[in-house]
Amino acid sequence: MNRFIVFIKNWKNSERLAFAGRVLVFYLIFMALWIYFLISKDSSAPVFIYEQF
Amino acid sequence: MKNIKAFLTAFVLFLLTAAGIHAAAAKGLPRYNIRIGTWIEPSKFVCTNGLAQLLGGENAVAVFGSSELRHGQNTEFGGNSIFRDSDMDPVYIGQAGYQSLTHAITAGALGETLSGKKAVIIVSPQWFKDGGVKKSAFGSSFSEDAFLTFLKNDKLSGETKQYVIERARELAADNSALLEKIETDIELCEGGIHKEGMSRLREFLVKERTDTGLFLKAWAGGKLNQEKGQQREIDWDALYVEAVESGKKIADNNAYGMLDAVYENQYRDLIEGDGVKKPAYRVDSKEFEDLECFLKVCTENKINVLLVMLPFNGYWYDYLELDKTEREALYDRTKELAKAFGVSYADLSPNEYEPYYFEDNSHPALKGLVDMNEQIYRFYKELEE
C-alpha cells in the first residue's frame, strides 16, 4: 500500500508520467470505442423467429 | 496544450493498433477446410472478403440454401461428413430465413469470385409463402458488406440492381434503422465522384467489422488451420445402404415419414391437438420474382448454377390438405424458371413419399441428405468433365 501511495505521489510530481497517464487514458477510450464498433451486434437487425410450420 | 498533445499521441497509437488489428484480421481470414466450408455461422455469410477467400480455390462450390444446410450436420449423411477429404470443397451460405433475395445480393457481391465457377441454390418449397420472404427474415440476414459490394458490381445490369434496391426498401420499410442504412448505401454508391471518398470510407468501416467479426469467431471456434487428410472417393452406394439401415432403426415407426424421435417430440401432440393449419404457398408468391432475380444475377456474372428443388414431405402436407396438385404447381413453376434461364435442375420432388428421406415436415435426412449431396457432387463433376 505504501509503495502504491509513493508511486501515485511520484506520478503526480513527474510530468512525464502524468503525460503517459493522459495518453493511456485517451488510448483506452479510443480502443474501447473501436473494439465496441468491431464486435457489437448490428442494432438494425431484427429478431427473426423461425417457424417450422 | 498538454491534453491536446496527449490526445494526439494517443490517437496515433490507436491508429497503429487499429492497423495491426486490420492486418491480423485480413491475414487471419480462414482458409478453406471442410469445417469452415460447411460452418453455419452468420459472421461468415455477411463477410464478402471471407467468402471470396473460401471460394477462391479451384474445387470450391458455393451452396446457397436455408435451414436444411444445418440439419444432418455431424451425421454421416451431412455434407460436412460426406465431402470431408473429397475433391469438392462446398461453401455453405445460408441458414433459416435466408431466401432468394439475400442470396441474390450475396451472389452479386461475389460476382468476380464466382464468375465461371459453380454454384448451387437449394430451393425449399416452403419459401413460396403468400408474401414471399418475411421482413424479419430479410432484415436479420441482411449484410451491408454484401449490399455495398453488390451495388458496386459493374457486371450487374441497372435493372437487376434496381429490382434489388426496391425489394430491400420494401422489406426494410418497418425498420427505420435498416432502411436508413440501405438508403445511405444507395446514395453513396450512386453519388458519383463527389461521394467517392465517403463511399470508400463507409465500405472500409463496414468490411473492417465483418472481416474482424469472422476472424474472431473462427479463431474462437477453433476453425482455423485444419489440415486436409488424404483425398478419398465418395461411395454413394454405401451411403444409401447405410441410410436405409439407419432409417429402419430410427424412422420406421410413424406414418409421416419422419425420424421417430422428431415425430414423438414435436409432431404427435400437434397432430392429436389438431394444432396446425394448412399453409398458404402460392404460385404467384413474390419469392418467384426474387428467385428470378438470383438467376439473373448469376447469368450476368457468368456463374454456372444448379437449382436443387427439395420435395414437400408428402405425408405431412396431405395431412395439412395442401393437395398434390397445389404442390406440383409450385414444382412446375420452379422448373419453368430454371429452364428459362438454362440452368441445371435437380428435381427431388418425386421423393415426397420416399421412406427414410425426411427428418420432419420439410428437412431432408438419411436418404434425403445423401440424394441432395449426390446431386450437387454430380453437377460439380459434370462441369469438370
Side-chain angles (χ1 to χ4, degrees):
Chain A
M1 189 64 183
N2 278 336
R3 274 197 201 172
F4 180 69
I5 293 169
V6 167
F7 174 75
I8 295 295
K9 272 190 187 165
N10 286 342
W11 188 310
K12 284 184 179 175
N13 292 334
S14 162
E15 276 207 26
R16 268 193 191 175
L17 278 178
F19 178 77
R22 278 194 287 271
V23 169
L24 184 63
V25 167
F26 283 129
Y27 175 77
L28 289 175
I29 291 170
F30 284 131
M31 286 309 302
L33 290 170
W34 185 243
I35 302 284
Y36 177 74
F37 166 74
L38 288 179
I39 66 175
S40 62
K41 266 190 151 185
D42 186 352
S43 60
S44 68
V47 171
F48 169 60
I49 297 165
Y50 173 53
E51 289 164 16
Q52 187 142 329
F53 309 110
Chain B
M1 194 61 191
K2 285 178 197 170
N3 283 335
I4 294 171
K5 269 190 188 170
F7 181 89
L8 289 172
T9 307
F11 187 66
V12 169
L13 288 173
F14 156 71
L15 285 179
L16 289 171
T17 312
I21 293 173
H22 170 81
K27 198 176 171 202
L29 283 178
R31 307 213 179 278
Y32 188 88
N33 62 72
I34 191 68
R35 288 183 70 196
I36 281 274
T38 56
W39 190 28
I40 307 300
E41 169 54 47
S43 66
K44 172 183 137 189
F45 307 145
V46 300
C47 179
T48 52
N49 285 340
L51 287 173
Q53 174 135 302
L54 294 175
L55 289 163
E58 58 180 16
N59 298 339
V61 178
V63 180
F64 295 94
S66 54
S67 55
E68 73 287 335
L69 293 177
R70 188 191 291 276
H71 289 250
Q73 289 229 333
N74 302 320
T75 69
E76 54 265 60
F77 312 110
N80 60 334
S81 300
I82 289 178
F83 296 117
R84 183 179 293 119
D85 302 328
S86 76
D87 58 349
M88 189 185 102
D89 295 337
V91 179
Y92 285 4
I93 303 170
Q95 61 176 9
Y98 282 60
Q99 294 186 201
S100 303
L101 186 67
T102 300
H103 291 323
I105 294 170
T106 307
L110 294 168
E112 198 179 318
T113 305
L114 290 177
S115 185
K117 288 192 144 182
K118 305 126 194 163
V120 176
I121 184 164
I122 302 172
V123 175
S124 302
Q126 290 80 11
W127 287 4
F128 302 106
K129 292 183 272 295
D130 202 356
V133 66
K134 285 185 179 177
K135 288 177 179 173
S136 58
F138 177 75
S140 70
S141 64
F142 180 78
S143 163
E144 191 176 6
D145 180 342
F147 188 64
L148 275 169
T149 317
F150 170 92
L151 292 175
K152 292 188 173 190
N153 181 346
D154 293 335
K155 297 274 187 317
L156 294 169
S157 67
E159 192 192 328
T160 301
K161 284 186 186 175
Q162 198 52 39
Y163 176 85
V164 167
I165 286 170
E166 293 309 323
R167 282 291 283 148
R169 282 175 170 149
E170 188 187 331
L171 291 166
D174 298 341
N175 184 335
S176 56
L178 179 59
L179 187 61
E180 190 187 331
K181 196 180 280 193
I182 288 169
E183 293 294 356
T184 306
D185 291 343
I186 295 166
E187 193 189 338
L188 286 174
C189 288
E190 291 178 346
I193 288 176
H194 66 284
K195 292 210 169 157
E196 180 73 16
M198 284 303 294
S199 174
R200 281 181 191 255
L201 176 62
R202 190 173 178 96
E203 195 175 357
F204 170 78
L205 290 172
V206 164
K207 286 188 186 289
E208 200 66 8
R209 260 177 78 106
T210 54
D211 288 357
T212 309
L214 175 57
F215 167 64
L216 289 174
K217 275 272 172 142
W219 172 70
K223 299 219 187 293
L224 301 175
N225 305 323
Q226 296 272 316
E227 292 297 323
K228 200 163 182 172
Q230 201 165 1
Q231 200 171 87
R232 59 177 185 86
E233 296 287 318
I234 303 170
D235 188 343
W236 295 104
D237 292 337
L239 281 167
Y240 280 113
V241 168
E242 251 180 87
V244 169
E245 289 308 309
S246 291
K248 285 175 183 170
K249 292 175 195 162
I250 63 173
D252 236 357
N253 288 311
N254 68 86
Y256 292 88
M258 304 175 183
L259 300 186
D260 294 326
V262 172
Y263 169 77
E264 290 296 327
N265 292 334
Q266 295 178 33
Y267 287 80
R268 185 162 51 174
D269 289 347
L270 263 179
I271 293 166
E272 284 173 7
D274 205 17
V276 197
K277 293 183 294 192
K278 177 182 172 179
Y281 301 130
R282 303 174 62 90
V283 288
D284 59 356
S285 167
K286 192 72 179 172
E287 183 66 26
F288 280 107
E289 291 175 53
D290 291 346
L291 181 57
E292 189 176 339
C293 175
F294 173 85
L295 295 173
K296 273 191 189 159
V297 166
C298 291
T299 302
E300 288 168 6
N301 285 277
K302 300 189 181 2
I303 303 170
N304 300 311
V305 174
L306 168 71
L307 194 159
V308 179
M309 182 74 240
L310 292 182
F312 282 104
N313 177 330
Y315 298 107
W316 175 253
Y317 284 95
D318 284 344
Y319 164 72
L320 292 182
E321 297 176 1
L322 181 74
D323 69 41
K324 199 140 169 61
T325 328
E326 291 174 271
R327 306 196 304 255
E328 295 283 340
L330 292 168
Y331 299 140
D332 288 344
R333 177 92 206 265
T334 315
K335 194 173 185 175
E336 274 164 28
L337 208 46
K339 201 173 166 185
F341 281 87
V343 303
S344 302
Y345 185 72
D347 185 1
L348 303 189
S349 65
N351 296 296
E352 285 191 343
Y353 300 100
E354 185 67 21
Y356 320 131
Y357 207 87
F358 294 96
E359 173 178 327
D360 50 28
N361 67 314
S362 57
H363 300 107
L366 303 168
K367 277 171 69 178
L369 283 173
V370 179
D371 199 1
M372 183 182 83
N373 286 313
E374 189 187 10
Q375 295 300 320
I376 294 170
Y377 188 72
R378 284 171 65 184
F379 165 69
Y380 166 73
K381 294 296 272 186
E382 259 173 20
L383 289 178
E384 269 217 326
E385 286 155 21

